[in-house]
Amino acid sequence: MTRQQHAASTDQDLARTVKRSKAPAISRAAAVLRLLGKSENPLGVQAIARELGLVPSTCLYVLRALADEELVSFDPDTKRYALEAGVLTLARQWLRRNQFNDLAQPLLDRLAQTFGATMLGVQTMGLDHMIVVAISQSGQSFQLSTQIGSRFPALISATGRCIAAFGDYSEAELEARFSTLRWDEPPTFAEWKQQVSLARTQGFAVDQGNYISGVTVVSAPVWKARGKPSHALVATGIGSALKRSGLPELQDGLVSAARSLSNQLCGDVSADWT
Amino acid sequence: MTRQQHAASTDQDLARTVKRSKAPAISRAAAVLRLLGKSENPLGVQAIARELGLVPSTCLYVLRALADEELVSFDPDTKRYALEAGVLTLARQWLRRNQFNDLAQPLLDRLAQTFGATMLGVQTMGLDHMIVVAISQSGQSFQLSTQIGSRFPALISATGRCIAAFGDYSEAELEARFSTLRWDEPPTFAEWKQQVSLARTQGFAVDQGNYISGVTVVSAPVWKARGKPSHALVATGIGSALKRSGLPELQDGLVSAARSLSNQLCGDVSADWT
DNA sequence: CTTGGTTGTTCTATATATTGAATAGCACTC
DNA sequence: GAGTGCTATTCAATATATAGAACAACCAAG
């Protein structure tokens, strides 16, 4: 069972986005790409159109355009479409010019080695979700498998508490989002709010088996600029194992890594100004 | 100096694609994404429009749509656009359901270990280019750095000779493409044709310092179906080092790995037929 | 402070992308 | 072999995305 879940992008959502935008074809194209990404096997025109609430002919034109751009592959025999390798090229280009990754990776590697935990670097995307952009596996212990590019709802687990703590969102917004989350051991909203306050004073957040039973997650926010944190460093591991290798030390290491990263990222910006 | 080069996608090309397509916004969007990928730093609306020959207002709408889809990031302060992490999500999804990668990776790892070479798995995209989709570094020697997602012109180096040898393209097509290639030590078209013939009879191709002086590249084709090869396994290394660790053995290993891979990939297809 | 040359953004007429029905093909069942 | 239900695809009318100019906001130089 895979853990990640997106804000269910329904036909309704797509329809609204398409209406508002001045370039609806692009919203449709993105929806098609996401659908093909989710799907286990290649899909035909009708299946895609039905799933996304598109007109088949429009959907066909979208697919042809995407195939021309090598973002989608087309099998002439089966008339099925799937994602194509062109998306890889874009991803590499993004990774290349992303200083967060370059700076975070060695820090994550060191922490993973020291504490035998699986370390993640995540990028926050408002209250919608966060995206895993860097990973370091400890190698020895059994890993909690997550992959680069995975998306999680914004307020879940330890990082969710950080986002809530340092993002100054209204309580109404938070509660609305909170109510849609799925946890193994869901905290009440009151409990969660208290943990968020604690995170605000401590500078990091902990999830002790709420999101996944038996798994402890620690998260510390990273800033690229003043305002809401843009990223977070995350440590995950089996609760008992993390306790044995020293949870307080891990928390300290994580927080100081996150702080040094924030300094470097903000510093680079000011270097551009000169 | 980076080696890769794309078929220079000029404004002309884009203009033609846009005209032909029934969904021009998508071609524009793809062009914008590629441009942002190439660019070292974030770009403004005008710069993008100028570079791609787009109308600024249209360009703005494209960018806004892409930003809505989290494929492009927008900095409200500087009004600059760049690639966003959404492209990572798509790439991961592509990698997940790609059996070539799953099957090729262990073979590449073994060959890289045995021969101290940098191994690549590439996917061919017609006569336009090929894309690196899997990598295994030997770890010990200093690596010839290439990254997943890199694009190379189709007919370059050893893999180019394989594509020409097993793709049954007309000589006119080949010569047109061949003439645009950049090599360190360019072969004449006649020499190259001879090497292509050799590759056809041997079942693999070698590039001895043509593409990059001092670097030897060996490539063996992989088929996913009858017809043109869809992929290739590639070994690269310093010429002298490869000779020392046994070039004939490397060639044998590469060819047999490619053959076994072809069998598995085609076998899956025939399994679908039953 | 004004001027000149940028930039990003809004606005509206018109060329055109999108729609939904009609067409064409393919694989079954009867 | 005709019929049934599915596909993918084409086509022409119309709703609309786009182009180009006008606008606004900024910065640097005089």
Side-chain angles (χ1 to χ4, degrees):
Chain A
M1 165 186 168
T2 171
R3 284 280 155 180
Q4 80 221 48
Q5 52 183 53
H6 342 46
S9 79
T10 66
D11 310 3
Q12 296 289 3
D13 283 336
L14 180 55
R16 221 179 313 130
T17 317
V18 165
K19 284 282 176 212
R20 290 218 191 301
S21 166
K22 295 261 186 182
I26 294 174
S27 309
R28 284 189 280 253
V32 166
L33 290 175
R34 279 193 295 264
L35 177 64
L36 291 176
K38 253 193 303 192
S39 165
E40 285 305 320
N41 12 34
L43 298 175
V45 177
Q46 302 272 1
I48 297 168
R50 214 176 313 118
E51 187 70 27
L52 298 174
L54 297 179
V55 174
S57 59
T58 302
C59 189
L60 178 67
Y61 297 139
V62 169
L63 286 165
R64 289 223 256 245
L66 288 172
D68 275 348
E69 305 298 338
E70 287 175 6
L71 297 173
V72 151
S73 69
F74 172 59
D75 183 335
D77 298 331
T78 65
K79 312 263 186 187
R80 293 278 133 94
Y81 299 83
L83 283 190
E84 180 53 297
V87 298
L88 258 197
T89 307
L90 293 175
R92 179 187 61 105
Q93 290 167 334
W94 180 84
L95 281 169
R96 256 238 279 228
R97 314 191 195 345
N98 193 274
Q99 74 258 37
F100 174 81
N101 284 59
D102 294 342
L103 296 170
Q105 196 66 57
L107 298 173
L108 294 177
D109 290 340
R110 191 173 51 77
L111 290 168
Q113 287 299 328
T114 311
F115 297 100
T118 295
M119 303 293 309
L120 307 179
V122 311
Q123 173 168 346
T124 65
M125 310 286 303
L127 270 183
D128 278 330
H129 49 255
M130 45 190 164
I131 299 182
V132 176
V133 298
I135 292 197
S136 188
Q137 305 272 23
S138 65
Q140 40 196 7
S141 82
F142 257 121
Q143 294 116 27
L144 307 163
S145 187
T146 305
Q147 287 203 292
I148 285 196
S150 298
R151 287 158 57 136
F152 294 87
L155 295 184
I156 203 74
S157 194
T159 308
R161 294 182 177 95
C162 283
I163 291 174
F166 301 101
D168 82 337
Y169 297 102
S170 78
E171 185 161 329
E173 283 179 299
L174 291 177
E175 187 156 18
R177 297 283 183 164
F178 178 85
S179 63
T180 68
L181 300 177
R182 301 212 194 144
W183 315 67
D184 272 0
E185 321 268 355
T188 67
F189 186 60
E191 287 167 355
W192 184 78
K193 260 174 46 187
Q194 194 132 10
Q195 293 162 348
V196 168
S197 302
L198 184 60
R200 190 157 25 228
T201 62
Q202 285 188 139
F204 66 93
V206 183
D207 178 300
Q208 301 235 35
N210 286 127
Y211 182 39
I212 304 172
S213 317
V215 173
T216 295
V217 183
V218 187
S219 179
V222 174
W223 279 267
K224 194 152 84 180
R226 297 272 135 218
K228 301 166 186 184
S230 62
H231 300 262
L233 299 184
V234 183
T236 70
I238 306 301
S240 52
L242 283 190
K243 221 165 233 163
R244 214 174 317 115
S245 59
L247 196 52
E249 290 82 356
L250 172 57
Q251 289 165 354
D252 285 351
L254 197 69
V255 168
S256 71
R259 192 167 305 152
S260 112
L261 204 46
S262 295
N263 285 336
Q264 292 181 72
L265 289 171
C266 289
D268 282 345
V269 171
S270 67
D272 278 350
W273 290 340
T274 51
Chain B
M1 165 186 168
T2 172
R3 282 280 154 181
Q4 79 222 48
Q5 53 185 52
H6 341 44
S9 79
T10 66
D11 309 4
Q12 296 290 3
D13 284 336
L14 180 55
R16 221 178 314 130
T17 316
V18 164
K19 284 283 176 209
R20 290 219 191 300
S21 165
K22 295 261 186 182
I26 293 173
S27 309
R28 284 190 280 253
V32 166
L33 290 176
R34 279 193 295 265
L35 176 64
L36 291 176
K38 253 194 302 192
S39 164
E40 285 304 320
N41 13 35
L43 298 175
V45 177
Q46 303 272 358
I48 297 168
R50 214 176 314 118
E51 187 71 27
L52 298 175
L54 297 178
V55 174
S57 60
T58 301
C59 188
L60 179 67
Y61 297 140
V62 168
L63 286 165
R64 289 223 257 246
L66 288 172
D68 276 347
E69 305 298 337
E70 287 175 7
L71 297 174
V72 151
S73 69
F74 173 59
D75 183 336
D77 298 330
T78 65
K79 310 265 186 187
R80 295 281 130 97
Y81 298 83
L83 283 189
E84 180 54 297
V87 297
L88 258 196
T89 306
L90 293 174
R92 177 184 64 102
Q93 291 167 334
W94 180 85
L95 281 169
R96 259 238 276 228
R97 314 192 197 341
N98 192 272
Q99 75 256 36
F100 173 82
N101 283 61
D102 294 343
L103 297 171
Q105 196 65 57
L107 298 173
L108 294 177
D109 290 340
R110 193 173 50 77
L111 290 168
Q113 287 298 327
T114 311
F115 297 100
T118 296
M119 303 293 311
L120 307 178
V122 312
Q123 173 169 345
T124 65
M125 311 287 301
L127 269 182
D128 278 330
H129 49 256
M130 46 190 164
I131 300 183
V132 176
V133 298
I135 291 196
S136 189
Q137 306 271 21
S138 65
Q140 40 197 8
S141 81
F142 255 119
Q143 297 112 25
L144 306 165
S145 187
T146 306
Q147 288 202 290
I148 285 196
S150 297
R151 287 158 56 134
F152 295 88
L155 295 184
I156 204 75
S157 194
T159 308
R161 294 183 177 94
C162 283
I163 291 173
F166 301 99
D168 83 335
Y169 298 101
S170 79
E171 184 160 331
E173 283 179 300
L174 291 177
E175 186 156 19
R177 298 284 184 162
F178 178 85
S179 63
T180 68
L181 299 178
R182 301 212 193 142
W183 315 66
D184 273 359
E185 321 268 354
T188 67
F189 186 60
E191 287 167 355
W192 185 78
K193 259 175 46 187
Q194 194 133 10
Q195 294 162 349
V196 167
S197 302
L198 184 62
R200 189 157 26 228
T201 62
Q202 287 189 138
F204 67 91
V206 183
D207 178 299
Q208 300 234 37
N210 285 127
Y211 182 41
I212 304 173
S213 316
V215 172
T216 295
V217 183
V218 188
S219 179
V222 174
W223 279 267
K224 194 152 84 180
R226 297 272 135 219
K228 302 166 187 187
S230 62
H231 301 263
L233 298 184
V234 184
T236 70
I238 307 302
S240 52
L242 283 191
K243 220 164 237 163
R244 214 174 318 116
S245 59
L247 196 51
E249 290 82 356
L250 172 57
Q251 289 165 354
D252 285 352
L254 198 69
V255 168
S256 71
R259 193 167 305 152
S260 111
L261 204 46
S262 295
N263 284 337
Q264 291 182 73
L265 289 171
C266 288
D268 283 345
V269 172
S270 67
D272 279 350
W273 289 341
T274 50

